[in-house]
Structure formats: C-alpha cells, structure tokens
Amino acid sequence: MHKVKDNINYDAGHKVVTIDASPNRIPIKYQVLNEQIHQILNEGYKHIKLINVVGQRFIGAALSGDIRLEVHGTPGNDLGIFMDGPTIEVFGNVEDQAGNTMNGGDIIIHGSARDVTGLSARAGNIFVKGNGGYRCAVHIKQFRHKRPVMVFGGSVRQFFGEYMAGGLLIVLGLVIKEDGTFSVMEGNIVENAIGTGIHGGMIMIARPKEEIPCHFLGVGTKISDPIEPDMKDLEKVLERYSQIFHVDSKELLEMDFSKITAISRRPFASNYCSRSL
Amino acid sequence: MKWENYTTYPSSFKDDKVFDACGISGFINTDGKIENGAKVVDMITCLKDRENGLGAGFAVYGCFPDQKDDYCFQMILNDMETKDGVKHFMEKHGKVTKEEPIDVDVEGFVSLNPPVLWRFFYQPDEDKTMGNDDDFIMQLHMKINDGFDRNAFVMSAGKNMAVFKGNGWSYEIADFYKIRDYEGYMWLAHSRFPTNTPGSWFGAHPFSLLSWSVIHNGEITSYGTNKRYLEMFGYKCNLLTDTEVLAYLFDLLIRRHDIPPTIATLAFNPPLYDTIEKMTKEQQIVVKNIRMAYRSAMVNGPFSIAVGSVIHDDPTLITLTDRKKLRPQLIGESRDGKTFFVSSEEASFQRLMISEENHAEITNVWAPRAGMPFIARVGTGLLRSGKEEPFEKITLHVDEYPPEVSI
C-alpha cells in the first residue's frame, strides 16, 4: 500500500488537522485515508478536517471518544460505521448506509442522505438537512439509555423504519435553505410500508394524521396524535436540530405531528413462538 | 471461445478486500456536443471499490460521423481464421465497406490475454433485408454469436456507435482500447463484479444489439423466463450473463413493438396489484393490459441499469432501477442544464467537480424513484427526471373499456 503524506496539513494553533483526500486531484484509496485518520488521532489531535473527499468509504469507522471530523465533498458508503461517540459533520450529500450500526455520536449532514441511512443503529443521532432515501433507519433498536435518534428535514422514501425496535425517527417535510428559512414540501413526505414489522420506538411525521394515507402504514403499526410526553421528547430533539441548521425551533414545533408506533407491545408474538410460552 | 482462456485474475484480486457491486457511469450531452472519453473514464475508475477486475466496458455514441450510415460491427474473435470466416459469412448478405483491427495497446496489456478485436463497417444488401435493415442486422448478429462455435462474438453492431469491452479492471480496459481517443455525445461505462457467471471478454458489459447498449448493476433472477420469451422472437441468449436479456427486451418492446420508453419500462417493472388498485380507471386498464401482454418481459431481481439507444433517430439515455431500488443510482445535472450524468455513486460527480482537465460543474443531484425511468434525449433535453409518478405528464387515450361483467 503506497503512503501519501504530503496531503496532511497540521495547523497547530487551532489544533485542526486537514487531510486532502484527493492530493493532485486524484482520490486516494479509502484504506490510506482511514489509516491517516487513525495516525493523526494517535498523535493526540481531536479535530480533523477532510477536504476533497471523493467516495472514500468507511470514514470514521469504529472510532470512539470526543473526536470531531469535518467532511467536505462526498463521503462514500458506510460513513461512521460502528462509530461510538465522535461527531461527523458532512458539508454535502452522503452515500448509502451512513451511520451503519452506529453505537453513539452524531452524524450531521448538510445535504441529503441516500438509501439505508442509519441501518441497525444502536444509539447516536443522525441529523439530515435534506431528504432520506429508501429503507432509512431499518432495524434500529434501543436499550436503556442507548437510543438512536434520526431527523430528516425533507422527505423519506419507502420502508422507513422497517423492523424498528426502538429509537425516535422524525420527518419534517421541509425545504430548508442556507439561511435557515424554510418552506413546507408539497405532496407526500413519506411513502408506503412505514415501520413495517415495528416492535418498538416511535416515528413522528410533521403532517396531521388525516393527511397520511392509511395504505402507507406498514404491517403492525398504528397512527395517533402525539401526547404531552411525546411532544417534550420531540422538543428536546428539535431544539438541537434547529441549533445545528439555524432554523427557528418554535416554528418547527408549531407544525402538526402524527405519531406512528407499534400496534401492541409484541405485535408479532404469535409469528415466532407458540402462545403457551 | 473458451471463457477460461480469456479469464485472468488480477493479483490484487487475491489480497484486496472484495466488494459486492458493479459500477455504472455515463453521461449525455443533450446539445449534441462531442466529447472524448476522458470524463467517463474518470467517472468509472473512481468507483474502483465496486469492481474486482473481471470485466469492464465502454459504449460511445456519435463516434463515426464519417461512416454514420454503415453498421459498425465490433467483433471479439478467437483467431484470424475465424475473422476471415465471419467476413465471408457477412459478405454473403451485404458489403463490408471497410475493415480494420480495433486500435488497442496489446504490448501494454499482455496480461489481459486479449483475443482478436476487429471492426467491420457493413451495408446489408437491399434484396436480403426486405426493407427492414434493423431486423436483418439483428438476425445477423444472432447468427454470428451462435454460428461460429463460440469463436466469434459481436460486441456491438449499431450505426455511429461502438462498444469496447474486455476482461480486466476498468482503468486497464480504458487504456487498452485508448478510450480517451474516441469522441461522442453519449458515453456509458461499466466496471464489473461478476456474481453468478464467469468473468470473460464477451460477458463484460455493455451488452449491445443494434444501437442499444445496456450496463447493469444487479441480478436478473427472471433470466430463464425472459430468455424463453425472447427466443420466440428470434433472440438467442448465449453470452452466459443475465444482462443480455435486457438489451434484447428493450429492442423488442421499444424498437420492434414501438412502445414508448415510459410505458415499456412499466412492462419491465409492473406496479403491484395493490398499487394498481389506487390508480384511475384508464391507468388501471393500461397497466393491467401491459401486465398481461408482457408478463414474461417482467424483469425481476435487483437491478440498476443505464441504457444507451437511438430511438427514431434520436440518441436517448434511459436509466431504470428495480421497484424497490435495491441498487443505487444517481442523476446529476450540469449547471447549464445540457449535460446529464448517471452513476452508481455520487463520488463520480465529485471526481469531475474537483478535476482540472475533465472538469464538470454538476449543480443538481437527485436519486430517481424506484422503478421510474430517467430519460434524456439529444435535441430535446430532459424528458423524465425519474422523480415523477408512473403516469405523470402522460396522456392516456383508452378507446374501449372492457365489458362490465355482472353476475
């Protein structure tokens, strides 16, 4: 594996290290880039800025601790996979499977997320300014204080939160501009099979429940109006979201939300084992 | 041609981590601007993580403006003897107006073990074609693939277009064929990760028939059904790879049956019946009729494809994914709105944006909806972005309602 070193720029005053992921405008292999990130972290730096990222995969894989990664460009598949604690801020769109099986930390995306974002997440936050793709937040779960939270500023596609067993998902259905002003999207902001096979957790959609066609709801889900504790929960998350993207949190909370949850405590109990158990 | 004679496993295939994917890339200049292959080579080679060195290929449209009325046969041949046989066979039915070896860098890529690569420009005899040149060339294409004991394969046989493909990494194939020296207004590129079939020269993408060329990421699990269906119409599938049925299906539905591309893609990706139930009455009739008439043309399995074509003399780029979008596909639009890019990953667009010599300003990137076609055409520009509902922007005229049945 060839080593590239000229692409690292140490800015000692600000304690920020910049890595050019495409020195001489040619993208380096993802193995090399991730190796360089590890080296810099081993040297004690906590803040890394990656520029000219061109589809390098697994950025931030399995990192833990108080680390901050800034990504300029388009990170490749599996951004922040197995991550446990760091913050990754992406100035652009991401590719598929961002936040795959993440166990903690924040992924902030100033663009759109693609398919299968946040699959199997165990905890941590994913804040997306734009839209999500197909099968976002599939198979997420929570345990005690470990609870994944994902907010999509725009719309999401089919199979949102499929098989989810915990966590909080929010779809805002907005077009958020650079300056923080926003307009409400026209048409449906979710598609069919929302939360199919759900066991636990909560999906909040910024539309009144009458406006969500009932055939969009997945197997084992029910739709209702949020109650007081749900709104408090929502408030905390949206407070944070609005700080990140400079949106007025009051305006966000004024929208009508509907809540999608599992139809019962164990909706599929009879599918897996006999009732006598 | 024995495929094992033409399969080489690159050394890095053994120790590098293997990923499960194919890479697709391409672009169309809807203003008809001619560009060389450097951009598309950049786009596909930066998706290196998606390939494993067992096949890559390129398709270019508008590359032979001096001989645009002749069919250009790009051939893969086992030896020079077969080449003479093929030429003799072709001359029985028409005139070879020009022949030449395809310009390749053999010395630089001995390890690829390349076969004989030859190009014929061809005009079929009028009395043989009965006025339908395209049908005749399609049959000739099938006969060459079938008739030379697997020693001769047609890479492409369209007018003013060419396919270059082989067994190797995309950067190797690009340099081997000197792709940067060709010029065209539409380019497609593919890097292969073969899953169910061996890597081989003739099994690399794009798969082509007449002016159609298809690049594909995914698997066609309905291959057997589609193959038997196509055999009824004279198409023979003997390239050992599922993607070839797509090239033939597009030819059958859009060229021979003259179905508009938006409706033909509904035949490949028919909506589920619970979706059909929610449509208007006219739409239901159309979709149900398509489902019934083209039941065996339904394409099952995960796929993301890009198709280059010339429909009614207009070069057209069509892209499509399966109904659940199990393979990635992104569309990028240039700042002036004249060039549309397609790729498996946004990295390809980013690669062009940071590049100096092959720079492109891509300002608008979107993911098409599952099962919805993106269509752009030279001259007209963007026809469908892929974000529409199935019948959006389409006027349906249903003359006869099926009789109401009451019991």
Side-chain angles (χ1 to χ4, degrees):
Chain A
M1 199 184 287
H2 72 294
K3 289 262 190 288
V4 191
K5 279 189 179 154
D6 313 340
N7 62 334
I8 304 175
N9 184 9
Y10 292 88
D11 182 351
H14 295 88
K15 297 184 177 176
V16 183
V17 182
T18 308
I19 306 179
D20 187 348
S22 304
N24 304 320
R25 318 229 162 198
I26 295 172
I28 54 175
K29 283 171 97 176
Y30 75 87
Q31 294 97 327
V32 180
L33 180 65
N34 283 316
E35 193 58 37
Q36 288 182 341
I37 293 173
H38 283 262
Q39 275 173 20
I40 291 164
L41 293 175
N42 287 345
E43 288 165 20
Y45 292 92
K46 298 283 184 197
H47 188 170
I48 301 177
K49 189 174 165 187
L50 307 170
I51 57 169
N52 292 332
V53 177
V54 179
Q56 280 92 353
R57 296 185 175 188
F58 309 114
I59 292 171
L63 295 182
S64 59
D66 180 24
I67 297 163
R68 185 175 168 77
L69 294 177
E70 268 179 47
V71 181
H72 297 260
T74 307
N77 292 0
D78 294 303
L79 173 80
I81 179 174
F82 309 132
M83 188 175 80
D84 193 6
T87 300
I88 300 183
E89 190 160 6
V90 183
F91 298 90
N93 301 331
V94 297
E95 285 179 0
D96 297 346
Q97 291 131 270
N100 182 353
T101 325
M102 69 190 282
N103 199 34
D106 299 334
I107 297 182
I108 296 160
I109 300 163
H110 292 260
S112 284
R114 303 297 179 203
D115 300 344
V116 229
T117 300
L119 71 150
S120 302
R122 266 63 188 133
N125 305 306
I126 299 180
F127 296 117
V128 185
K129 192 174 185 178
N131 304 328
Y134 287 80
R135 300 181 292 287
C136 284
V138 168
H139 210 282
I140 64 171
K141 58 174 70 168
Q142 73 182 63
F143 179 69
R144 292 186 184 159
H145 65 286
K146 298 289 236 178
R147 183 189 192 212
V149 175
M150 298 180 204
V151 188
F152 294 86
S155 61
V156 291
R157 299 294 196 188
Q158 292 172 9
F159 303 102
F160 183 57
E162 193 181 21
Y163 307 124
M164 73 184 278
L168 172 62
L169 301 175
I170 302 170
V171 186
L172 297 174
L174 305 172
V175 182
I176 303 172
K177 299 193 189 88
E178 279 293 307
D179 57 356
T181 56
F182 58 80
S183 55
V184 177
M185 267 186 178
E186 284 176 24
N188 291 319
I189 58 171
V190 286
E191 288 187 353
N192 57 358
I194 311 165
T196 287
I198 189 169
H199 285 75
M202 183 163 74
I203 302 174
M204 297 282 254
I205 298 165
R207 286 282 153 97
K209 69 179 182 192
E210 297 77 26
E211 286 182 26
I212 297 170
C214 57
H215 68 266
F216 279 7
L217 299 179
V219 180
T221 59
K222 70 170 182 216
I223 190 162
S224 55
D225 291 321
I227 50 170
E228 194 57 32
D230 302 334
M231 289 312 286
K232 283 214 173 113
D233 208 2
L234 194 70
E235 205 177 315
K236 256 189 259 166
V237 176
L238 290 185
E239 200 73 48
R240 180 110 203 269
Y241 185 86
S242 54
Q243 272 171 15
I244 292 167
F245 297 115
H246 313 294
V247 189
D248 187 359
S249 66
K250 274 190 196 138
E251 281 186 57
L252 292 185
L253 281 162
E254 275 168 14
M255 294 191 290
D256 274 337
F257 280 88
S258 54
K259 177 176 94 166
I260 293 172
T261 46
I263 205 158
S264 65
R265 203 175 63 83
R266 292 186 66 202
F268 306 98
S270 58
N271 291 15
Y272 295 114
C273 49
S274 68
R275 282 166 199 282
S276 60
L277 289 171
Chain B
M1 187 181 294
K2 306 285 179 291
W3 65 264
E4 57 270 23
N5 292 345
Y6 294 100
T7 298
T8 50
Y9 286 86
S11 57
S12 52
F13 175 63
K14 287 166 191 144
D15 46 30
D16 211 341
K17 198 162 186 174
V18 170
F19 294 97
D20 175 10
C22 291
I24 62 174
S25 285
F27 68 86
I28 180 170
N29 285 332
T30 54
D31 54 351
K33 198 178 119 209
I34 301 285
E35 265 184 277
N36 72 10
K39 261 187 197 167
V40 86
V41 171
D42 267 7
M43 285 175 81
I44 197 70
T45 48
C46 91
L47 304 180
K48 188 177 168 295
D49 296 334
R50 300 186 77 85
E51 61 182 311
N52 68 350
L54 292 175
F58 298 85
V60 53
Y61 288 75
C63 52
F64 303 119
D66 300 338
Q67 274 168 296
K68 61 178 169 25
D69 296 325
D70 293 353
Y71 289 94
C72 169
F73 276 72
Q74 299 260 107
M75 306 287 303
I76 301 178
L77 302 151
N78 213 14
D79 45 47
M80 288 305 278
E81 210 176 304
T82 319
K83 190 227 96 182
D84 294 336
V86 170
K87 192 188 170 193
H88 182 69
F89 178 69
M90 285 167 75
E91 279 180 332
K92 275 193 219 164
H93 310 284
K95 199 168 75 180
V96 175
T97 51
K98 189 179 166 189
E99 64 168 310
E100 58 189 6
I102 299 173
D103 186 16
V104 290
D105 180 7
V106 178
E107 286 84 39
F109 295 95
V110 179
S111 63
L112 290 179
N113 195 7
V116 175
L117 298 156
W118 209 266
R119 178 184 299 145
F120 296 103
F121 286 97
Y122 186 69
Q123 271 296 346
D125 282 342
E126 271 180 32
D127 55 332
K128 291 272 168 54
T129 62
M130 321 266 246
N132 194 340
D133 288 6
D134 282 349
D135 269 356
F136 177 79
I137 294 292
M138 175 221 122
Q139 280 166 21
L140 193 67
H141 184 136
M142 295 296 152
K143 277 185 184 146
I144 293 171
N145 276 0
D146 202 33
F148 286 86
D149 196 22
R150 308 191 73 72
N151 283 324
F153 289 95
V154 182
M155 281 199 277
S156 70
K159 282 180 181 171
N160 203 6
M161 61 83 69
V163 165
F164 305 90
K165 62 185 187 180
N167 191 23
W169 295 88
S170 55
Y171 58 88
E172 289 178 327
I173 297 298
D175 289 345
F176 176 71
Y177 281 108
K178 305 175 186 172
I179 290 296
R180 292 173 183 86
D181 296 347
Y182 291 89
E183 290 189 323
Y185 39 70
M186 179 158 67
W187 278 93
L188 298 176
H190 183 266
S191 59
R192 190 167 181 224
F193 183 105
T195 40
N196 299 324
T197 50
S200 62
W201 278 77
F202 57 85
H205 303 214
F207 284 94
S208 184
L209 179 71
L210 293 167
S211 63
W212 300 97
S213 54
V214 179
I215 51 175
H216 166 222
N217 166 14
E219 283 164 66
I220 310 291
T221 51
S222 60
Y223 174 74
T225 311
N226 301 141
K227 181 185 164 182
R228 283 189 289 278
Y229 178 67
L230 287 163
E231 274 168 357
M232 295 196 291
F233 298 93
Y235 298 92
K236 285 179 184 159
C237 303
N238 44 22
L239 299 181
L240 305 177
T241 302
D242 51 3
T243 309
E244 69 170 328
V245 297
L246 279 168
Y248 305 160
L249 282 172
F250 271 95
D251 185 57
L252 177 68
L253 267 71
I254 300 181
R255 182 182 66 82
R256 286 174 67 178
H257 295 181
D258 205 15
I259 300 173
T262 34
I263 303 295
T265 50
L266 276 180
F268 304 145
N269 266 338
L272 300 170
Y273 275 107
D274 60 353
T275 317
I276 294 176
E277 272 172 21
K278 310 220 163 50
M279 293 178 171
T280 65
K281 201 171 179 187
E282 280 95 346
Q283 291 173 354
Q284 288 197 13
I285 290 168
V286 171
V287 180
K288 282 180 183 170
N289 282 339
I290 292 170
R291 278 202 75 135
M292 279 188 281
Y294 292 106
R295 202 169 73 102
S296 306
M298 180 183 142
V299 184
N300 210 344
F303 65 86
S304 160
I305 57 171
V307 185
S309 62
V310 181
I311 302 171
H312 299 305
D313 296 331
D314 290 321
T316 311
L317 176 66
I318 305 171
T319 75
L320 187 69
T321 56
D322 61 275
R323 280 184 300 214
K324 292 201 161 60
K325 188 123 185 287
L326 295 164
R327 293 291 181 273
Q329 185 175 93
L330 289 161
I331 307 290
E333 185 184 0
S334 66
R335 187 183 289 278
D336 59 9
K338 285 176 181 161
T339 308
F340 294 92
F341 299 84
V342 55
S343 184
S344 295
E345 295 187 16
E346 203 175 326
S348 298
F349 307 153
Q350 196 70 28
R351 175 85 181 86
L352 295 181
M353 294 200 0
I354 65 160
S355 173
E356 263 171 7
E357 54 279 19
N358 303 319
H359 183 74
E361 200 62 41
I362 299 168
T363 48
N364 190 9
V365 178
W366 70 88
R369 288 167 75 114
M372 288 295 114
F374 158 87
I375 304 174
R377 183 174 286 175
V378 172
T380 355
L382 180 68
L383 293 178
R384 286 181 88 79
S385 70
K387 291 187 282 190
E388 296 94 349
E389 295 284 329
F391 285 101
E392 209 175 314
K393 293 198 262 178
I394 295 177
T395 330
L396 295 176
H397 299 285
V398 180
D399 296 335
E400 279 178 47
Y401 285 90
E404 293 282 331
V405 181
S406 53
I407 302 169

